[in-house]
Amino acid sequence: MSNPQSRACSRCRSYAGRLYSPSRMKYPLKQTKKRGDLTGFVRITWEQAMKEIAQRYNAILQKYGSEAIYNHMSSGQQGPYQRGGGNGASSVFAAVIGPLSGGYLHQGYNYSAHSASYFGTTYTGAYGKSNTTQLMQRNTGSLFLWGSHQLTSSNPYAYSAIISAQTIRDKGGRVWHMSPTLEDTGITLATDWVQLNPLTDVALISAIIYEMLVNTFNPDGSIKEDAYLDVDYLDTMVYGFFASPEYYIDSTTGNISLTSQNGYTKVNAVPAGYSYADYILGNEDNRLAEAKYGTAINGKVNYNSLEFSKSSQKVRGGRCKLGKDNTVGANAAYYYKKDLRKAKSPEWAEGICGVPAATIKEMAKNICDTVKAGKGVLHHCSNGWQRNAEGVNYLFALQNLSIISKGWGVDGAGYYQAAAYNAQYDTEIPKLVYKTANSDKANYANTVPKLPSCSMWHAGVKFAFADELKRNGYTGRYIPDMDMNKFTAGYSYADDANIKSFVKHKLSSTFKNSSILDYINQNHNSAERYEVGPDGYYAVEMNGNKPVYSGIRFVYTAAGNAIINQHMNSNDTAEMLECLPFYPEDPSNADGFCYIALDTNFSPTMRWADYALPGTANWEMTDIINGAGASQQIYMPKVIDGPGESKSTFEMNKLLAKYLVEIDGGYYAGLNSEFASRNDTPNSLIEQAFNNNDEAKGRWGTFENYQKDGYILGKPVALNDAKSLSENAILTAFNDYKATDMTIPFIQASSGAGVINTFDGQSCRTGTGNDYKHYIVDTNDPKMSYRFHVLSDVMVWEYEHRNEKFHGYLPIEERGNKNTDNQGDPLVYNIPVFFDYRDYFKQAYGKDLFKDNNNKPFFNLGTHIRYRSHSTFNESPLVRELGKYAIGGKASTDTDIFADVLPDFADINPPYNTKLTLKRLTPVGQAGCGYEALWMNPSDAYEKGIKDGDLVKVYNPIGSVHAVAKLSNRMSKGVTLLPQGGWYDPDANGIDDGGCSNTLCASTPTRCDHGNAQMSIVVFVEKA
């Protein structure tokens, strides 16, 4: 750690190729024919573009409300101001234009970590996210890398990852690489490659926990002498692992009562047969029915065990009863229900995961032995790992494993999602708060409380325009599980509760009687925006006997390429955009759809825009960005001018604000006073931030010095000086408690800091944010138990009631989210059930692709590639040589691929309204034409008659792509890998020569959070 090396990767080194790529956008373009028709684009002035966009924006807003305006994820490049942060929350539009126009629709969560952002750790209380590389080096004994591709996808943390893993190995620890592929992360970091089948991780985790259980309890219910698990800990600190009675708890004293008491919180019963342990052991193992509460363990009975023994629920479990007797078992209609009540043994899991039962048993023992030795067990999962159809269950199961095994509470232990390996630094660098407009505010509150999942925005568009889409030829053929017989305005795909909220609600008198700026400045809660009817639901504006379906009607993106390329099911998105109502000659028509895209390059997404606007790149505008690792914040001065007439997001939104004010100076008065009429520039706003920051002035003295020296590396602290985890005190307190007779509640146990075990789960959240209860009418919700939860009734209740306050226009049974399948069993359980992947694909692709044992599909992974940042740099000639392959398997040489994609107009007196001749993005037939690589196991390829370097067709029921086969024994059998980010480029037959992995990805959302299942893809492969 004394001399970390941070060096530029291939992307940064090739940045000049991106800046000067012939695909750079230089002038505003307007579509005049049909979205997606390249011959319909004409060049226009910025003034014409922004005047027309302002007209469309205002017309839609006034007729359908602010909630019809949607600012999509990636609306801004990385950075706190102009570039807008990862999801655009701080972008100029999101911080100024949207709020000061009355609000806007912003997406919930993000494509990178949708399930993780939704589930968090608040449903379980899992610990460990503040681990650092120093703590890992100091004490981690076992590191589990669940789907981690850290060295490829997070370059700033690569050195820390390598040194952390090396130290763990040098001390005799284990680093387990849990993945169907062995790429550089596994090769460099791991001691063990656990080669498991995709989409089976929950089965594997269940089997690990099974092994722990059977090595804790004997068949007669007694506890083994050298038990794997700490039963006193499970009784005292973990809710839902064992069966337990309904009880009431005093959150101050921890006292338990079996009858209702004033001031006590009710905790739901967990009936025998329905606990998490019962699910794990199945319906043939009865040992927990023999494990009685109140029985001494090592001569002592813990407080909870004694109190529970006084109830009718005197044992810790029973045979599994999940599902209905007539829907589970060998003849079940759903694959997962065949195994629902089976024992989740290592032998059972081996047949699903492909991991030998002996390895599963070894992992279980390693975890428990490491915990007993006081060493850390750290579970690190990547964003990609949870980006699958069962992402929430993945996270739920992994957190449960950490909790149940007591694998937290010491340095280098716990559960860590996304980028681990950050270091603790002893240098605190002053950070500037970059103001957006008025210098007194960094951001303006958005007053529209409705939030679609970022992956369900397309359903919001269809909710409004289903009738027009059908009239214009939209078939829905790329979404087999969308019911086209019910496809009409108000149709909510996947019965999504957020989408069902997209009707126009009546504004409250508080909102109507205030100016927009006053309403924001008075800090009104967004829940006060709408009028509440006598039934407790928000009142809806009606059009005859139907609601006004606001839906999503205006979409703005900046620097994302997300709409077409990075959103699942590119084919459906393209068909939808082409069939949406389009009025290019009538910008004041409120009944059309409008899509505005600003970007640096003419990406696939730009090709389906109504207005394609040229944006500036990082080096062409001034900003400050939050760095990674040691570089906490960086001042980035403008280095060169952007090409042609390109503008930054700041300049573009400034111009939009000007024309909105011209349309209605009264309505947009706040926008005018706070932004449009001001003379701020990005640099002047940064200077204001500097002058308002005493720490910054103390560090740099003058703004001029800051501009010269706005990048400082922090110095990592020594291993022994690193701060330990705050949660360690809780485990220390419990261990102290165990040394007592345990006759008092643990919640009063002290470690010199008073009451410490106070986790209550009240920060649990749903797609409407932390204040979700504002949008729920039924407030008879289950409460948390002040213990860890490996079973969550709260999560299920929130799912079923989500956003119901917006649904007063619907029958009662259609409000919230439906939580029963067609057999009456839950869609979302209160424990992490293993859902067989075949059920998802049967729904998503409209047929059972696994029925034919002679032609089973491959699991396809869509991981990051080191030569791109998502889809960015696909256009760089220098990077294409590294990441693309020509037929025959050699590196691509199509470095002039974009030479004539956009004509090079003269800079002086340009010929406005000149029609463009635009080419496809893949030069098929040209020597050295580059394709994406499809990585596969050699034995799989040979069975298909495929050789390394062959052009192959990769397909499934919703899409087809061309790729060049690359063979490697680092790929598990039955698995292919098509890196995400290739640019969507379908030929005349609909085969995507650009190799976009989302061409193959279904629209069917993830369970529970309704996010993006972009790692749940199966394909067939044949030689092209």
Side-chain angles (χ1 to χ4, degrees):
M1 292 299 294
S2 60
N3 186 30
Q5 298 289 308
S6 295
R7 299 188 178 184
C9 66
S10 58
R11 290 169 289 191
C12 186
R13 289 170 181 256
S14 69
Y15 208 87
R18 181 166 187 257
L19 286 176
Y20 300 108
S21 168
S23 70
R24 279 299 302 269
M25 288 288 297
K26 299 178 182 178
Y27 311 103
L29 305 178
K30 176 183 177 180
Q31 178 60 259
T32 61
K33 292 183 178 179
K34 179 182 180 182
R35 293 186 190 92
D37 185 344
L38 301 184
T39 68
F41 279 111
V42 298
R43 179 181 170 186
I44 60 174
T45 65
W46 269 102
E47 288 69 23
Q48 180 184 343
M50 300 316 295
K51 186 174 183 178
E52 291 183 7
I53 290 169
Q55 288 176 296
R56 295 182 187 280
Y57 182 96
N58 181 68
I60 291 171
L61 185 152
Q62 298 303 332
K63 183 170 182 178
Y64 293 102
S66 301
E67 50 261 65
I69 308 295
Y70 180 56
N71 179 43
H72 189 56
M73 181 186 171
S74 294
S75 293
Q77 300 173 50
Q78 183 61 39
Y81 180 54
Q82 290 211 66
R83 303 180 186 95
N87 65 1
S90 322
S91 69
V92 184
F93 181 90
V96 184
I97 303 289
L100 295 180
S101 298
Y104 65 98
L105 197 62
H106 189 57
Q107 89 283 337
Y109 311 123
N110 59 75
Y111 285 107
S112 296
H114 195 286
S115 293
S117 300
Y118 174 92
F119 190 73
T121 57
T122 52
Y123 287 115
T124 65
Y127 284 121
K129 293 197 74 173
S130 55
N131 264 297
T132 61
T133 184
Q134 287 98 332
L135 301 184
M136 293 169 66
Q137 293 179 64
R138 199 160 72 188
N139 197 53
T140 298
S142 200
L143 172 62
F144 286 80
L145 303 173
W146 296 89
S148 175
H149 294 258
Q150 191 77 38
L151 302 191
T152 297
S153 58
S154 295
N155 286 5
Y157 302 104
Y159 178 81
S160 295
I162 292 170
I163 198 68
S164 298
Q166 177 183 318
T167 305
I168 293 168
R169 296 195 308 267
D170 289 347
K171 291 183 176 181
R174 303 281 286 273
V175 180
W176 308 79
H177 184 61
M178 320 290 287
S179 174
T181 64
L182 184 64
E183 72 307 302
D184 54 359
T185 299
I187 293 169
T188 307
L189 304 185
T191 58
D192 300 81
W193 179 22
V194 180
Q195 200 169 343
L196 78 164
N197 295 328
L199 308 179
T200 63
D201 299 60
V202 173
L204 175 61
I205 294 169
S206 299
I208 292 172
I209 296 172
Y210 175 96
E211 184 66 13
M212 292 175 177
L213 264 169
V214 298
N215 280 282
T216 298
F217 291 96
N218 289 306
D220 65 359
S222 62
I223 297 173
K224 295 193 173 187
E225 195 168 306
D226 190 20
Y228 277 23
L229 300 175
D230 184 337
V231 178
D232 284 323
Y233 158 77
L234 293 170
D235 284 345
T236 303
M237 290 193 69
V238 181
Y239 170 84
F241 189 58
F242 298 135
S244 58
E246 176 181 290
Y247 66 95
Y248 300 81
I249 184 169
D250 185 321
S251 62
T252 302
T253 66
N255 288 329
I256 286 175
S257 170
L258 296 176
T259 58
S260 179
Q261 303 287 333
N262 288 335
Y264 279 48
T265 299
K266 176 185 174 182
V267 178
N268 283 353
V270 181
Y274 294 92
S275 74
Y276 187 44
D278 292 337
Y279 165 72
I280 296 293
L281 291 174
N283 66 348
E284 295 183 4
D285 193 313
N286 208 36
R287 70 186 70 206
L288 290 184
E290 304 297 329
K292 296 179 180 179
Y293 285 119
T295 303
I297 303 172
N298 296 323
K300 294 185 287 187
V301 180
N302 67 68
Y303 174 81
N304 283 20
S305 176
L306 181 62
E307 294 303 310
F308 292 167
S309 70
K310 301 172 184 177
S311 73
S312 59
Q313 179 61 60
K314 298 181 182 298
V315 294
R316 291 185 171 87
R319 300 179 191 273
C320 179
K321 298 178 182 178
L322 292 182
K324 298 178 180 178
D325 290 343
N326 63 343
T327 64
V328 302
N331 297 319
Y334 290 82
Y335 283 106
Y336 91 88
K337 293 183 186 180
K338 296 178 187 292
D339 290 358
L340 188 60
R341 294 182 180 178
K342 283 186 179 180
K344 310 308 180 292
S345 67
E347 291 75 19
W348 166 82
E350 179 176 352
I352 296 169
C353 307
V355 179
T359 301
I360 299 173
K361 294 176 181 180
E362 182 185 7
M363 287 189 286
K365 188 174 190 305
N366 173 265
I367 291 170
C368 294
D369 286 348
T370 303
V371 168
K372 290 178 181 179
K375 293 292 184 181
V377 176
L378 182 60
H379 296 280
H380 172 225
C381 61
S382 66
N383 282 337
W385 182 74
Q386 52 83 66
R387 209 158 43 241
N388 71 77
E390 303 299 338
V392 164
N393 275 320
Y394 268 45
L395 297 159
F396 200 171
L398 187 57
Q399 290 177 29
N400 280 3
L401 175 59
S402 179
I403 290 168
I404 291 162
S405 63
K406 205 164 68 170
W408 60 278
V410 296
D411 290 343
Y415 155 85
Y416 208 124
Q417 184 268 326
Y421 317 112
N422 205 354
Q424 291 182 29
Y425 299 97
D426 62 3
T427 304
E428 283 297 323
I429 301 174
K431 290 189 176 182
L432 304 187
V433 178
Y434 194 159
K435 308 297 183 181
T436 307
N438 187 307
S439 59
D440 294 331
K441 289 184 178 293
N443 213 337
Y444 293 94
N446 177 28
T447 58
V448 173
K450 304 174 186 180
L451 287 171
S453 157
C454 64
S455 58
M456 291 292 283
W457 67 270
H458 71 101
V461 175
K462 291 162 183 163
F463 186 82
F465 289 108
D467 296 327
E468 293 92 332
L469 282 166
K470 288 183 80 170
R471 283 199 298 269
N472 293 338
Y474 175 74
T475 65
R477 65 185 182 276
Y478 300 112
I479 308 183
D481 60 334
M482 187 163 65
D483 190 344
M484 294 303 290
N485 292 321
K486 297 180 180 178
F487 192 72
T488 188
Y491 172 78
S492 176
Y493 173 60
D495 190 51
D496 184 83
N498 293 319
I499 301 303
K500 289 188 286 191
S501 303
F502 292 172
V503 293
K504 189 177 182 183
H505 289 89
K506 295 180 179 179
L507 298 174
S508 67
S509 58
T510 304
F511 188 87
K512 286 191 295 186
N513 295 334
S514 303
S515 72
I516 295 169
L517 187 58
D518 285 346
Y519 187 85
I520 293 172
N521 286 337
Q522 291 164 11
N523 296 319
H524 288 289
N525 192 291
S526 56
E528 300 174 77
R529 177 186 177 95
Y530 301 115
E531 176 187 322
V532 179
D535 57 358
Y537 292 86
Y538 287 129
V540 175
E541 290 196 15
M542 303 296 289
N543 181 14
N545 61 355
K546 292 184 178 181
V548 175
Y549 297 112
S550 54
I552 293 176
R553 296 173 180 269
F554 182 103
V555 176
Y556 166 71
T557 64
N561 198 17
I563 294 293
I564 285 285
N565 213 84
Q566 299 305 102
H567 178 73
M568 62 274 201
N569 206 337
S570 302
N571 284 335
D572 177 74
T573 307
E575 184 189 27
M576 179 187 74
L577 290 174
E578 290 167 11
C579 294
L580 285 167
F582 181 50
Y583 305 107
E585 302 306 320
D586 186 6
S588 61
N589 190 323
D591 294 322
F593 176 79
C594 185
Y595 173 42
I596 314 302
L598 180 143
D599 210 338
T600 55
N601 296 75
F602 200 64
S603 66
T605 291
M606 298 288 274
R607 293 181 165 225
W608 273 267
D610 296 21
Y611 296 88
L613 306 175
T616 50
N618 294 6
W619 296 359
E620 298 162 353
M621 55 185 171
T622 299
D623 207 344
I624 51 177
I625 66 169
N626 293 325
S631 55
Q632 297 173 23
Q633 194 177 73
I634 305 169
Y635 172 76
M636 293 188 65
K638 179 179 178 180
V639 178
I640 57 175
D641 291 329
E645 298 175 1
S646 57
K647 292 184 183 295
S648 68
T649 55
F650 181 91
E651 294 168 317
M652 175 263 182
N653 280 276
K654 193 86 166 177
L655 198 54
L656 175 61
K658 170 189 172 184
Y659 285 109
L660 287 172
V661 172
E662 286 186 5
I663 290 172
D664 190 339
Y667 183 83
Y668 298 106
L671 180 58
N672 184 46
S673 63
E674 303 292 282
F675 185 62
S677 63
R678 298 173 65 87
N679 295 319
D680 300 317
T681 66
N683 209 55
S684 71
L685 291 169
I686 296 173
E687 185 172 8
Q688 286 180 22
F690 178 88
N691 291 331
N692 291 331
N693 189 310
D694 290 337
E695 290 183 359
K697 288 187 289 186
R699 171 64 184 81
W700 284 285
T702 67
F703 182 61
E704 289 72 21
N705 289 337
Y706 172 76
Q707 290 177 296
K708 296 174 184 177
D709 187 29
Y711 175 81
I712 297 177
L713 289 176
K715 182 180 178 182
V717 302
L719 295 186
N720 292 333
D721 295 332
K723 295 179 181 178
S724 291
L725 304 174
S726 60
E727 60 262 26
N728 292 9
I730 298 178
L731 187 60
T732 299
F734 175 76
N735 291 332
D736 292 344
Y737 174 75
K738 275 202 70 172
T740 70
D741 59 11
M742 296 187 289
T743 57
I744 62 171
F746 168 62
I747 201 165
Q748 289 195 58
S750 173
S751 181
V755 177
I756 56 177
N757 181 29
T758 56
F759 168 71
D760 64 3
Q762 294 309 306
S763 58
C764 287
R765 60 192 184 276
T766 67
T768 52
N770 291 332
D771 57 347
Y772 71 91
K773 287 188 178 180
H774 289 304
Y775 313 112
I776 292 177
V777 177
D778 179 1
T779 56
N780 188 30
D781 55 316
K783 302 299 188 292
M784 303 296 281
S785 65
Y786 299 87
R787 300 151 73 192
F788 292 117
H789 275 236
V790 297
L791 177 152
S792 181
D793 288 333
V794 172
M795 181 188 74
V796 173
W797 184 88
E798 289 180 5
Y799 177 80
E800 294 174 349
H801 291 271
R802 186 172 307 152
N803 273 0
E804 65 182 3
K805 195 168 183 176
F806 294 106
H807 302 161
Y809 72 99
L810 291 168
I812 291 177
E813 65 275 11
E814 294 181 21
R815 297 170 189 172
N817 278 315
K818 181 183 177 182
N819 192 28
T820 53
D821 63 19
N822 58 13
Q823 295 183 319
D825 289 319
L827 295 169
V828 175
Y829 287 81
N830 58 7
I831 59 173
V833 165
F834 169 63
F835 286 96
D836 194 299
Y837 51 80
R838 290 173 290 184
D839 291 321
Y840 173 81
F841 291 121
K842 185 176 179 180
Q843 176 185 347
Y845 294 133
K847 59 180 70 174
D848 190 345
L849 303 180
F850 291 87
K851 266 192 171 182
D852 185 356
N853 289 325
N854 296 318
N855 188 31
K856 287 188 175 180
F858 293 92
F859 295 99
N860 185 71
L861 306 178
T863 58
H864 289 272
I865 186 173
R866 67 171 63 254
Y867 309 117
R868 286 194 295 261
S869 179
H870 301 292
S871 70
T872 302
F873 290 98
N874 186 81
E875 75 283 2
S876 172
L878 301 175
V879 173
R880 290 179 68 85
E881 292 184 38
L882 301 174
K884 301 278 187 177
Y885 292 89
I887 297 173
K890 294 184 178 180
S892 163
T893 57
D894 61 359
T895 54
D896 63 343
I897 178 174
F898 294 112
D900 297 312
V901 168
L902 286 172
D904 188 14
F905 286 102
D907 290 331
I908 300 174
N909 298 318
Y912 290 107
N913 293 315
T914 299
K915 293 186 178 181
L916 306 182
T917 301
L918 304 177
K919 293 186 177 182
R920 290 186 64 216
L921 301 175
T922 309
V924 175
Q926 175 182 311
C929 173
Y931 292 91
E932 289 295 311
L934 181 81
W935 294 91
M936 56 191 310
N937 185 279
S939 61
D940 285 336
Y942 298 152
E943 288 177 9
K944 299 285 185 182
I946 295 170
K947 301 187 297 296
D948 191 275
D950 281 349
L951 185 69
V952 295
K953 178 183 176 183
V954 188
Y955 63 97
N956 59 30
I958 64 168
S960 303
V961 307
H962 279 145
V964 167
K966 297 296 292 179
L967 312 185
S968 173
N969 284 312
R970 295 181 186 176
M971 298 293 302
S972 296
K973 288 197 66 176
V975 179
T976 60
L977 191 156
L978 180 72
Q980 64 105 334
W983 279 15
Y984 177 68
D985 189 20
D987 66 14
N989 297 314
I991 301 177
D992 178 9
D993 288 316
C996 176
S997 63
N998 284 314
T999 303
L1000 305 164
C1001 183
S1003 295
T1004 307
T1006 55
R1007 190 182 305 274
C1008 191
D1009 60 311
H1010 292 187
N1012 49 311
Q1014 287 170 296
M1015 293 292 276
S1016 290
I1017 300 174
V1018 292
V1019 298
F1020 299 97
V1021 181
E1022 62 185 38
K1023 191 171 180 179

